[in-house]
Amino acid sequence: MKLVLLLLLVTEASCRSHSSGCEKGCDCRGDLKFTICSRASFTRLPSRVPPITELLDLSDNWISIIPERTFNTTRKLRVLLLQNNNISVVEDGAFCQLEFLQKLDLSWNQITTLSEGFSIGLASLRELQLSHNRLTTLDSRTFRHLDSIQRLNLTNNSIQTIQMRSFSSMSLLRQLHLQDNQLTSLRSGTFSMLHSLKVLNLAGNQISEAETGVFKPLASLTLLNIANNQLTTICFKTFLSIHTYSTHLLLEGNPWNCDCDLQRVFRKLRSIQRLFLDDYYNLTCSSPPDLQGYLLINVDDELCIAETVTVLIITITVIITLLAAMLMGERKRRRRKRRDSTGRSRETSQTSQTTEATSVSDLNISLFLFSRCSLVVFSGNRFLCIDICKP
């Protein structure tokens, strides 16, 4: 038993021994092809890393710059961990020789911009972590060479602008995390090439508007999270354009304006079987003032009853008025017809026709235009506008 324990200790010691190809402060495990250099207080990238290394962990150091062609001796890397450093500059072509790299973690750094040269050589990359940096804009060329990317995490930056075609090369992307940034609007074309995207997380931004066709290209979307933004209302067609079989929507934490329009939108959305409003029962009204703090589910059945009843009453009244006018016109026409049959003179007949035309005109020029909250009646030479939403 003691011999077995001794052999295990010797094996572990040999695995942790620092050969000539391993930087001091690193743990080079040749049997696993791992090189662990975390918490080694490095201010620059180590120069001696075994060329067979497939996982290089440089997290929790003080590295500030990733120079060009730094990894030319470690071309077999598949996982590169650089989180929790002080990186502010990534030079063009820094990863250009890492043709096998599948995961790159640059989260929790100080990166403010990424140029087109950032993604050169990363054609095999599947996961990119850029959360908790200082990015403000996504350029249309930054991710141009990420043809195989499946997961992109940009959480907790300061992104205000996403240029058109920023994700144009990411036809295989499945997850896009943009929560906790500073986006204010969503424009059509922003996600135009993301046909494989399943998860889109936009929670915790400042989004107050979304164009109708912005989600239309997302043919595989299963989760759309727009919680905790600044939406007061939404357009029914914005979500109707999502044609996946099953899509879950998260919308709570927005300052909803619980007017009748919003009620109609949500009533329609809930009737679409392929859309699931997972947090509908948690949606809270911020306006109008008398409904502030109310749950939307508690007001949707009674908010618009008075308006609906008023609209019905006005509509029925208008129909009855028109029918009565038509009946009176028909009676006058019959009376004139009887008078014409008694043998009036041509002059009298012409006068009667003129009078009839005038009467018919008086009846027919009473037109009305009906909208949600107003009724416009044209009678004679006057327009009358009636507000039918007031109790």
Side-chain angles (χ1 to χ4, degrees):
M1 184 67 180
K2 292 181 179 180
L3 180 60
V4 174
L5 181 60
L6 180 61
L7 287 174
L8 289 174
L9 291 174
V10 171
T11 302
E12 183 177 0
S14 63
C15 289
R16 291 176 174 272
S17 64
H18 299 289
S19 65
S20 59
C22 189
E23 189 85 10
K24 183 179 180 181
C26 295
D27 182 4
C28 299
R29 306 181 183 185
D31 56 334
L32 299 175
K33 299 180 181 180
F34 287 2
T35 298
I36 310 300
C37 303
S38 62
R39 296 185 176 89
S41 300
F42 288 160
T43 58
R44 58 176 180 81
L45 294 171
S47 58
R48 291 186 299 168
V49 177
I52 63 171
T53 301
E54 293 185 2
L55 184 151
L56 177 57
D57 185 355
L58 291 164
S59 61
D60 298 293
N61 283 288
W62 298 98
I63 300 168
S64 59
I65 299 176
I66 308 296
E68 180 183 1
R69 296 179 177 272
T70 302
F71 304 97
N72 58 349
T73 61
T74 52
R75 299 187 180 187
K76 294 184 178 180
L77 279 180
R78 294 181 180 273
V79 178
L80 177 56
L81 306 178
L82 288 161
Q83 70 268 29
N84 289 304
N85 275 275
N86 197 35
I87 300 170
S88 59
V89 176
V90 180
E91 294 185 356
D92 289 351
F95 311 108
C96 65
Q97 294 175 316
L98 300 180
E99 57 181 320
F100 301 108
L101 193 67
Q102 295 184 8
K103 178 177 179 178
L104 174 59
D105 194 338
L106 287 164
S107 59
W108 295 94
N109 279 286
Q110 307 295 320
I111 301 171
T112 57
T113 58
L114 292 172
S115 64
E116 179 181 357
F118 160 76
S119 61
I120 295 176
L122 298 178
S124 298
L125 194 68
R126 294 184 179 181
E127 180 177 346
L128 176 58
Q129 296 284 342
L130 283 166
S131 64
H132 294 87
N133 277 277
R134 298 183 177 182
L135 296 171
T136 59
T137 302
L138 296 185
D139 190 89
S140 60
R141 300 168 296 176
T142 301
F143 306 125
R144 178 171 293 181
H145 305 284
L146 302 182
D147 300 330
S148 302
I149 193 76
Q150 295 184 12
R151 190 171 190 269
L152 176 59
N153 191 346
L154 293 160
T155 300
N156 213 317
N157 279 268
S158 299
I159 299 171
Q160 300 176 12
T161 305
I162 300 177
Q163 294 184 3
M164 291 296 174
R165 303 187 65 80
S166 292
F167 309 116
S168 61
S169 64
M170 301 183 181
S171 59
L172 299 179
L173 189 66
R174 293 177 177 270
Q175 295 184 28
L176 177 56
H177 298 273
L178 284 162
Q179 65 265 36
D180 298 319
N181 280 281
Q182 297 179 17
L183 297 172
T184 58
S185 62
L186 300 175
R187 303 299 180 189
S188 296
T190 302
F191 310 116
S192 59
M193 299 302 294
L194 303 183
H195 306 305
S196 302
L197 193 69
K198 292 183 176 295
V199 176
L200 177 56
N201 194 338
L202 295 162
N205 280 272
Q206 302 294 319
I207 299 169
S208 59
E209 60 176 334
E211 292 187 356
T212 303
V214 66
F215 302 124
K216 188 174 182 180
L218 307 181
S220 304
L221 193 65
T222 58
L223 175 62
L224 175 59
N225 189 350
I226 321 181
N228 299 306
N229 276 278
Q230 295 299 315
L231 292 170
T232 58
T233 189
I234 52 176
C235 178
F236 173 64
K237 292 183 179 180
T238 300
F239 298 117
L240 184 64
S241 63
I242 301 175
H243 295 292
T244 48
Y245 175 74
S246 174
T247 302
H248 295 262
L249 303 178
L250 297 175
L251 298 166
E252 67 178 316
N254 285 282
W256 297 111
N257 177 24
C258 298
D259 59 7
C260 291
D261 286 338
L262 188 70
Q263 298 301 320
R264 294 187 185 97
V265 169
F266 275 105
R267 191 177 299 116
K268 292 178 182 178
L269 287 176
R270 296 181 69 194
S271 69
I272 301 177
Q273 295 184 355
R274 67 176 184 272
L275 296 179
F276 298 90
L277 305 181
D278 290 352
D279 55 0
Y280 175 71
Y281 294 97
N282 296 329
L283 302 186
T284 306
C285 302
S286 290
S287 59
D290 55 339
L291 293 177
Q292 186 175 5
Y294 278 72
L295 290 175
L296 184 61
I297 187 63
N298 292 335
V299 298
D300 62 350
D301 290 332
E302 54 188 64
L303 178 65
C304 301
I305 292 179
E307 177 181 324
T308 303
V309 171
T310 304
V311 168
L312 289 174
I313 293 174
I314 294 295
T315 303
I316 293 172
T317 302
V318 170
I319 292 174
I320 293 174
T321 302
L322 290 176
L323 289 175
M326 292 173 62
L327 181 59
M328 292 176 63
E330 180 64 19
R331 288 180 177 177
K332 290 181 178 180
R333 187 185 65 80
R334 289 180 179 178
R335 290 173 183 173
R336 294 190 189 95
K337 187 175 181 181
R338 286 196 297 268
R339 285 197 296 268
D340 289 344
S341 63
T342 59
R344 274 187 186 182
S345 63
R346 180 177 297 180
E347 182 178 355
T348 305
S349 177
Q350 291 177 351
T351 303
S352 176
Q353 290 175 1
T354 301
T355 304
E356 179 181 355
T358 302
S359 299
V360 173
S361 177
D362 287 342
L363 291 172
N364 291 336
I365 63 174
S366 296
L367 305 176
F368 67 93
L369 300 175
F370 179 67
S371 63
R372 184 176 65 85
C373 284
S374 63
L375 183 69
V376 180
V377 180
F378 178 68
S379 179
N381 295 321
R382 294 187 303 168
F383 284 96
L384 302 176
C385 183
I386 304 173
D387 188 347
I388 61 175
C389 290
K390 291 183 177 180

